[in-house]
Amino acid sequence: MKDSITLRDPDTGSTFADEMRLIPRWSVALAVLAFVSVQYLCWIVLPAERHHPPAPLSVRIYFALSGSALAALYVLMVGYVTRDAPRRAMSLRFWIAICLIMPGGIGSVLYFLLRQPIISRCPACGTRTQSDFHFCPQCAFQVSACCGQCYRSVSATDQFCVHCGHDLAADQTPARLRAFLG
Ligand SMILES: [Zn+2]
Ligand SMILES: [Zn+2]
């Protein structure tokens, strides 16, 4: 059961946990591998090739941990982009290339700044609609729940409008559509 006051992305209506579930398994496995590889590099490979006295242990732990965490996060980001880009009708190849080429995770920052709204289709006529649409632009089919008084988005399970306090049970959807269409 979802809590009705969970923080939601105003754009997609999905929670942080929903977004995390989007990350594919292969990407989680690769992230674990990346984490372990960087640890291996820091503790086994690098000390063997060192010709000067070692840095203090705390400094080495700090660099090993932050290096592995960054590597793992980077792999998870790429995994997320492979699932997120298609549902926004964005070029997957282009954005994966950007994420891989740009150094230091700048590619994924750019992705989150520039990503498009999620695309879905009108159940009645198949026209492409965005997640913030209330009505289909081609056939006026109501694609998301909205308040009958202020026409802002509400959750289908809400009793009252969170914006204006209108009693949503008083709305009859067909009457509401007729009123809206004039
Ligand atoms: Zn439609
Ligand atoms: Zn309202």
Side-chain angles (χ1 to χ4, degrees):
M1 286 294 284
K2 270 184 194 152
D3 191 340
S4 58
I5 54 166
T6 322
L7 276 178
R8 281 168 197 285
D9 182 339
D11 174 28
T12 63
S14 71
T15 62
F16 183 71
D18 290 339
E19 295 295 305
M20 286 301 101
R21 246 170 268 142
L22 213 61
I23 295 176
R25 289 233 178 105
W26 61 261
S27 159
V28 176
L30 269 184
V32 173
L33 193 70
F35 190 93
V36 173
S37 311
V38 176
Q39 289 287 328
Y40 178 78
L41 193 74
C42 287
W43 297 109
I44 314 286
V45 179
L46 290 183
E49 294 180 358
R50 191 170 39 219
H51 303 297
H52 51 84
L57 185 64
S58 56
V59 173
R60 290 163 63 200
I61 291 178
Y62 172 78
F63 278 107
L65 273 184
S66 52
S68 329
L70 275 179
L73 196 67
Y74 184 71
V75 175
L76 289 178
M77 275 294 179
V78 173
Y80 179 81
V81 170
T82 62
R83 289 289 185 85
D84 190 56
R87 58 178 192 157
R88 295 169 192 273
M90 291 167 73
S91 164
L92 183 58
R93 275 190 214 160
F94 174 78
W95 280 103
I96 290 299
I98 293 286
C99 285
L100 293 178
I101 291 167
M102 299 290 246
I106 294 174
S108 39
V109 172
L110 272 182
Y111 176 80
F112 283 102
L113 286 177
L114 298 175
R115 66 180 184 174
Q116 303 294 310
I118 290 182
I119 301 289
S120 48
R121 290 194 180 271
C122 167
C125 73
T127 302
R128 281 186 164 192
T129 59
Q130 293 175 8
S131 57
D132 57 342
F133 285 8
H134 292 165
F135 297 92
C136 169
Q138 293 300 322
C139 72
F141 184 88
Q142 187 173 4
V143 289
S144 65
C146 65
C147 168
Q149 184 165 291
C150 71
Y151 293 109
R152 281 185 278 190
S153 296
V154 293
S155 171
T157 53
D158 290 347
Q159 302 291 313
F160 297 94
C161 173
V162 294
H163 306 286
C164 72
H166 177 63
D167 183 1
L168 297 173
D171 293 340
Q172 305 293 325
T173 303
R176 204 158 93 209
L177 272 175
R178 270 201 299 278
F180 187 77
L181 291 169

PDB file of all heavy atoms in Angstrom, residues 128-151:
ATOM      1  N   ARG A 128      -0.155  10.715 -28.791  1.00  0.00           N
ATOM      2  CA  ARG A 128       0.878  10.854 -27.754  1.00  0.00           C
ATOM      3  C   ARG A 128       0.493  11.944 -26.763  1.00  0.00           C
ATOM      4  O   ARG A 128       0.172  13.060 -27.165  1.00  0.00           O
ATOM      5  CB  ARG A 128       2.207  11.229 -28.386  1.00  0.00           C
ATOM      6  CG  ARG A 128       2.908  10.057 -29.004  1.00  0.00           C
ATOM      7  CD  ARG A 128       4.262  10.484 -29.479  1.00  0.00           C
ATOM      8  NE  ARG A 128       5.096   9.320 -29.721  1.00  0.00           N
ATOM      9  CZ  ARG A 128       6.397   9.370 -29.926  1.00  0.00           C
ATOM     10  NH1 ARG A 128       7.016  10.527 -29.922  1.00  0.00           N
ATOM     11  NH2 ARG A 128       7.082   8.274 -30.145  1.00  0.00           N
ATOM     12  N   THR A 129       0.531  11.606 -25.479  1.00  0.00           N
ATOM     13  CA  THR A 129       0.240  12.613 -24.453  1.00  0.00           C
ATOM     14  C   THR A 129       1.393  12.654 -23.463  1.00  0.00           C
ATOM     15  O   THR A 129       2.154  11.698 -23.360  1.00  0.00           O
ATOM     16  CB  THR A 129      -1.054  12.260 -23.690  1.00  0.00           C
ATOM     17  OG1 THR A 129      -0.899  10.981 -23.097  1.00  0.00           O
ATOM     18  CG2 THR A 129      -2.255  12.251 -24.606  1.00  0.00           C
ATOM     19  N   GLN A 130       1.528  13.758 -22.735  1.00  0.00           N
ATOM     20  CA  GLN A 130       2.562  13.874 -21.709  1.00  0.00           C
ATOM     21  C   GLN A 130       1.937  13.672 -20.345  1.00  0.00           C
ATOM     22  O   GLN A 130       0.738  13.820 -20.171  1.00  0.00           O
ATOM     23  CB  GLN A 130       3.230  15.253 -21.787  1.00  0.00           C
ATOM     24  CG  GLN A 130       4.026  15.419 -23.069  1.00  0.00           C
ATOM     25  CD  GLN A 130       4.586  16.825 -23.212  1.00  0.00           C
ATOM     26  OE1 GLN A 130       4.501  17.624 -22.301  1.00  0.00           O
ATOM     27  NE2 GLN A 130       5.153  17.100 -24.363  1.00  0.00           N
ATOM     28  N   SER A 131       2.824  13.369 -19.355  1.00  0.00           N
ATOM     29  CA  SER A 131       2.312  12.994 -18.041  1.00  0.00           C
ATOM     30  C   SER A 131       1.545  14.124 -17.357  1.00  0.00           C
ATOM     31  O   SER A 131       0.753  13.879 -16.469  1.00  0.00           O
ATOM     32  CB  SER A 131       3.471  12.551 -17.156  1.00  0.00           C
ATOM     33  OG  SER A 131       4.425  13.591 -17.079  1.00  0.00           O
ATOM     34  N   ASP A 132       1.763  15.385 -17.776  1.00  0.00           N
ATOM     35  CA  ASP A 132       1.052  16.479 -17.107  1.00  0.00           C
ATOM     36  C   ASP A 132      -0.253  16.852 -17.823  1.00  0.00           C
ATOM     37  O   ASP A 132      -0.928  17.797 -17.414  1.00  0.00           O
ATOM     38  CB  ASP A 132       1.971  17.703 -16.961  1.00  0.00           C
ATOM     39  CG  ASP A 132       2.531  18.189 -18.292  1.00  0.00           C
ATOM     40  OD1 ASP A 132       2.501  17.412 -19.268  1.00  0.00           O
ATOM     41  OD2 ASP A 132       3.003  19.334 -18.363  1.00  0.00           O
ATOM     42  N   PHE A 133      -0.628  16.137 -18.892  1.00  0.00           N
ATOM     43  CA  PHE A 133      -1.892  16.429 -19.580  1.00  0.00           C
ATOM     44  C   PHE A 133      -3.067  15.894 -18.765  1.00  0.00           C
ATOM     45  O   PHE A 133      -2.986  14.824 -18.174  1.00  0.00           O
ATOM     46  CB  PHE A 133      -1.924  15.741 -20.953  1.00  0.00           C
ATOM     47  CG  PHE A 133      -1.057  16.397 -21.993  1.00  0.00           C
ATOM     48  CD1 PHE A 133      -0.191  17.423 -21.667  1.00  0.00           C
ATOM     49  CD2 PHE A 133      -1.114  15.974 -23.315  1.00  0.00           C
ATOM     50  CE1 PHE A 133       0.609  18.017 -22.632  1.00  0.00           C
ATOM     51  CE2 PHE A 133      -0.307  16.560 -24.284  1.00  0.00           C
ATOM     52  CZ  PHE A 133       0.545  17.581 -23.940  1.00  0.00           C
ATOM     53  N   HIS A 134      -4.166  16.636 -18.742  1.00  0.00           N
ATOM     54  CA  HIS A 134      -5.397  16.145 -18.128  1.00  0.00           C
ATOM     55  C   HIS A 134      -6.324  15.562 -19.176  1.00  0.00           C
ATOM     56  O   HIS A 134      -7.054  14.620 -18.918  1.00  0.00           O
ATOM     57  CB  HIS A 134      -6.113  17.278 -17.392  1.00  0.00           C
ATOM     58  CG  HIS A 134      -5.373  17.753 -16.184  1.00  0.00           C
ATOM     59  ND1 HIS A 134      -5.656  18.935 -15.548  1.00  0.00           N
ATOM     60  CD2 HIS A 134      -4.349  17.205 -15.496  1.00  0.00           C
ATOM     61  CE1 HIS A 134      -4.838  19.094 -14.518  1.00  0.00           C
ATOM     62  NE2 HIS A 134      -4.028  18.064 -14.472  1.00  0.00           N
ATOM     63  N   PHE A 135      -6.311  16.151 -20.361  1.00  0.00           N
ATOM     64  CA  PHE A 135      -7.203  15.697 -21.424  1.00  0.00           C
ATOM     65  C   PHE A 135      -6.400  15.481 -22.702  1.00  0.00           C
ATOM     66  O   PHE A 135      -5.415  16.177 -22.948  1.00  0.00           O
ATOM     67  CB  PHE A 135      -8.300  16.738 -21.691  1.00  0.00           C
ATOM     68  CG  PHE A 135      -9.212  16.959 -20.512  1.00  0.00           C
ATOM     69  CD1 PHE A 135      -8.939  17.953 -19.589  1.00  0.00           C
ATOM     70  CD2 PHE A 135     -10.314  16.147 -20.309  1.00  0.00           C
ATOM     71  CE1 PHE A 135      -9.762  18.146 -18.486  1.00  0.00           C
ATOM     72  CE2 PHE A 135     -11.140  16.329 -19.221  1.00  0.00           C
ATOM     73  CZ  PHE A 135     -10.869  17.336 -18.298  1.00  0.00           C
ATOM     74  N   CYS A 136      -6.831  14.515 -23.505  1.00  0.00           N
ATOM     75  CA  CYS A 136      -6.171  14.256 -24.783  1.00  0.00           C
ATOM     76  C   CYS A 136      -6.388  15.456 -25.707  1.00  0.00           C
ATOM     77  O   CYS A 136      -7.504  15.949 -25.827  1.00  0.00           O
ATOM     78  CB  CYS A 136      -6.755  12.993 -25.406  1.00  0.00           C
ATOM     79  SG  CYS A 136      -6.242  12.748 -27.116  1.00  0.00           S
ATOM     80  N   PRO A 137      -5.313  15.954 -26.369  1.00  0.00           N
ATOM     81  CA  PRO A 137      -5.466  17.132 -27.232  1.00  0.00           C
ATOM     82  C   PRO A 137      -6.271  16.846 -28.500  1.00  0.00           C
ATOM     83  O   PRO A 137      -6.753  17.776 -29.149  1.00  0.00           O
ATOM     84  CB  PRO A 137      -4.024  17.522 -27.577  1.00  0.00           C
ATOM     85  CG  PRO A 137      -3.221  16.311 -27.325  1.00  0.00           C
ATOM     86  CD  PRO A 137      -3.919  15.518 -26.264  1.00  0.00           C
ATOM     87  N   GLN A 138      -6.455  15.569 -28.849  1.00  0.00           N
ATOM     88  CA  GLN A 138      -7.167  15.248 -30.090  1.00  0.00           C
ATOM     89  C   GLN A 138      -8.628  14.871 -29.866  1.00  0.00           C
ATOM     90  O   GLN A 138      -9.485  15.177 -30.686  1.00  0.00           O
ATOM     91  CB  GLN A 138      -6.459  14.098 -30.830  1.00  0.00           C
ATOM     92  CG  GLN A 138      -5.085  14.464 -31.358  1.00  0.00           C
ATOM     93  CD  GLN A 138      -5.118  15.619 -32.335  1.00  0.00           C
ATOM     94  OE1 GLN A 138      -6.034  15.730 -33.153  1.00  0.00           O
ATOM     95  NE2 GLN A 138      -4.142  16.513 -32.245  1.00  0.00           N
ATOM     96  N   CYS A 139      -8.929  14.150 -28.753  1.00  0.00           N
ATOM     97  CA  CYS A 139     -10.309  13.661 -28.598  1.00  0.00           C
ATOM     98  C   CYS A 139     -10.911  14.044 -27.253  1.00  0.00           C
ATOM     99  O   CYS A 139     -12.026  13.643 -26.942  1.00  0.00           O
ATOM    100  CB  CYS A 139     -10.349  12.143 -28.783  1.00  0.00           C
ATOM    101  SG  CYS A 139      -9.622  11.237 -27.417  1.00  0.00           S
ATOM    102  N   ALA A 140     -10.202  14.830 -26.425  1.00  0.00           N
ATOM    103  CA  ALA A 140     -10.697  15.304 -25.134  1.00  0.00           C
ATOM    104  C   ALA A 140     -10.969  14.191 -24.134  1.00  0.00           C
ATOM    105  O   ALA A 140     -11.653  14.394 -23.143  1.00  0.00           O
ATOM    106  CB  ALA A 140     -11.950  16.183 -25.295  1.00  0.00           C
ATOM    107  N   PHE A 141     -10.431  12.983 -24.370  1.00  0.00           N
ATOM    108  CA  PHE A 141     -10.544  11.905 -23.381  1.00  0.00           C
ATOM    109  C   PHE A 141      -9.787  12.334 -22.132  1.00  0.00           C
ATOM    110  O   PHE A 141      -8.677  12.859 -22.230  1.00  0.00           O
ATOM    111  CB  PHE A 141      -9.953  10.614 -23.958  1.00  0.00           C
ATOM    112  CG  PHE A 141     -10.095   9.426 -23.058  1.00  0.00           C
ATOM    113  CD1 PHE A 141     -11.234   8.633 -23.111  1.00  0.00           C
ATOM    114  CD2 PHE A 141      -9.091   9.094 -22.157  1.00  0.00           C
ATOM    115  CE1 PHE A 141     -11.362   7.528 -22.286  1.00  0.00           C
ATOM    116  CE2 PHE A 141      -9.225   7.986 -21.312  1.00  0.00           C
ATOM    117  CZ  PHE A 141     -10.361   7.210 -21.385  1.00  0.00           C
ATOM    118  N   GLN A 142     -10.413  12.107 -20.947  1.00  0.00           N
ATOM    119  CA  GLN A 142      -9.737  12.514 -19.708  1.00  0.00           C
ATOM    120  C   GLN A 142      -8.657  11.495 -19.366  1.00  0.00           C
ATOM    121  O   GLN A 142      -8.957  10.373 -18.989  1.00  0.00           O
ATOM    122  CB  GLN A 142     -10.750  12.633 -18.578  1.00  0.00           C
ATOM    123  CG  GLN A 142     -10.118  13.209 -17.329  1.00  0.00           C
ATOM    124  CD  GLN A 142     -11.119  13.512 -16.239  1.00  0.00           C
ATOM    125  OE1 GLN A 142     -12.301  13.220 -16.378  1.00  0.00           O
ATOM    126  NE2 GLN A 142     -10.645  14.096 -15.159  1.00  0.00           N
ATOM    127  N   VAL A 143      -7.369  11.880 -19.509  1.00  0.00           N
ATOM    128  CA  VAL A 143      -6.278  10.925 -19.314  1.00  0.00           C
ATOM    129  C   VAL A 143      -5.740  10.905 -17.888  1.00  0.00           C
ATOM    130  O   VAL A 143      -4.986  10.018 -17.529  1.00  0.00           O
ATOM    131  CB  VAL A 143      -5.112  11.170 -20.307  1.00  0.00           C
ATOM    132  CG1 VAL A 143      -5.510  10.767 -21.710  1.00  0.00           C
ATOM    133  CG2 VAL A 143      -4.670  12.615 -20.270  1.00  0.00           C
ATOM    134  N   SER A 144      -6.086  11.887 -17.044  1.00  0.00           N
ATOM    135  CA  SER A 144      -5.660  11.804 -15.642  1.00  0.00           C
ATOM    136  C   SER A 144      -6.727  12.435 -14.762  1.00  0.00           C
ATOM    137  O   SER A 144      -7.522  13.247 -15.215  1.00  0.00           O
ATOM    138  CB  SER A 144      -4.314  12.504 -15.445  1.00  0.00           C
ATOM    139  OG  SER A 144      -4.446  13.878 -15.692  1.00  0.00           O
ATOM    140  N   ALA A 145      -6.737  12.025 -13.484  1.00  0.00           N
ATOM    141  CA  ALA A 145      -7.734  12.534 -12.551  1.00  0.00           C
ATOM    142  C   ALA A 145      -7.463  14.000 -12.258  1.00  0.00           C
ATOM    143  O   ALA A 145      -6.327  14.386 -12.004  1.00  0.00           O
ATOM    144  CB  ALA A 145      -7.696  11.726 -11.270  1.00  0.00           C
ATOM    145  N   CYS A 146      -8.506  14.841 -12.329  1.00  0.00           N
ATOM    146  CA  CYS A 146      -8.319  16.231 -11.956  1.00  0.00           C
ATOM    147  C   CYS A 146      -9.556  16.749 -11.239  1.00  0.00           C
ATOM    148  O   CYS A 146     -10.635  16.178 -11.326  1.00  0.00           O
ATOM    149  CB  CYS A 146      -7.953  17.091 -13.160  1.00  0.00           C
ATOM    150  SG  CYS A 146      -9.223  17.231 -14.400  1.00  0.00           S
ATOM    151  N   CYS A 147      -9.377  17.829 -10.500  1.00  0.00           N
ATOM    152  CA  CYS A 147     -10.444  18.417  -9.704  1.00  0.00           C
ATOM    153  C   CYS A 147     -11.502  19.047 -10.614  1.00  0.00           C
ATOM    154  O   CYS A 147     -11.165  19.685 -11.606  1.00  0.00           O
ATOM    155  CB  CYS A 147      -9.818  19.468  -8.793  1.00  0.00           C
ATOM    156  SG  CYS A 147     -11.004  20.532  -7.984  1.00  0.00           S
ATOM    157  N   GLY A 148     -12.779  18.881 -10.279  1.00  0.00           N
ATOM    158  CA  GLY A 148     -13.863  19.430 -11.081  1.00  0.00           C
ATOM    159  C   GLY A 148     -14.052  20.925 -10.883  1.00  0.00           C
ATOM    160  O   GLY A 148     -14.815  21.560 -11.612  1.00  0.00           O
ATOM    161  N   GLN A 149     -13.360  21.490  -9.910  1.00  0.00           N
ATOM    162  CA  GLN A 149     -13.519  22.925  -9.651  1.00  0.00           C
ATOM    163  C   GLN A 149     -12.332  23.741 -10.162  1.00  0.00           C
ATOM    164  O   GLN A 149     -12.516  24.743 -10.839  1.00  0.00           O
ATOM    165  CB  GLN A 149     -13.685  23.149  -8.145  1.00  0.00           C
ATOM    166  CG  GLN A 149     -13.954  24.603  -7.778  1.00  0.00           C
ATOM    167  CD  GLN A 149     -14.479  24.717  -6.357  1.00  0.00           C
ATOM    168  OE1 GLN A 149     -15.583  24.311  -6.050  1.00  0.00           O
ATOM    169  NE2 GLN A 149     -13.647  25.260  -5.485  1.00  0.00           N
ATOM    170  N   CYS A 150     -11.088  23.279  -9.862  1.00  0.00           N
ATOM    171  CA  CYS A 150      -9.921  24.065 -10.273  1.00  0.00           C
ATOM    172  C   CYS A 150      -9.146  23.380 -11.401  1.00  0.00           C
ATOM    173  O   CYS A 150      -8.227  23.967 -11.952  1.00  0.00           O
ATOM    174  CB  CYS A 150      -9.004  24.341  -9.085  1.00  0.00           C
ATOM    175  SG  CYS A 150      -8.117  22.881  -8.476  1.00  0.00           S
ATOM    176  N   TYR A 151      -9.529  22.151 -11.759  1.00  0.00           N
ATOM    177  CA  TYR A 151      -8.925  21.387 -12.876  1.00  0.00           C
ATOM    178  C   TYR A 151      -7.448  21.108 -12.701  1.00  0.00           C
ATOM    179  O   TYR A 151      -6.751  20.824 -13.662  1.00  0.00           O
ATOM    180  CB  TYR A 151      -9.184  22.083 -14.229  1.00  0.00           C
ATOM    181  CG  TYR A 151     -10.643  22.069 -14.583  1.00  0.00           C
ATOM    182  CD1 TYR A 151     -11.400  23.236 -14.554  1.00  0.00           C
ATOM    183  CD2 TYR A 151     -11.274  20.869 -14.916  1.00  0.00           C
ATOM    184  CE1 TYR A 151     -12.747  23.214 -14.839  1.00  0.00           C
ATOM    185  CE2 TYR A 151     -12.624  20.835 -15.198  1.00  0.00           C
ATOM    186  CZ  TYR A 151     -13.357  22.013 -15.160  1.00  0.00           C
ATOM    187  OH  TYR A 151     -14.686  21.983 -15.443  1.00  0.00           O
TER     188      TYR A 151
END
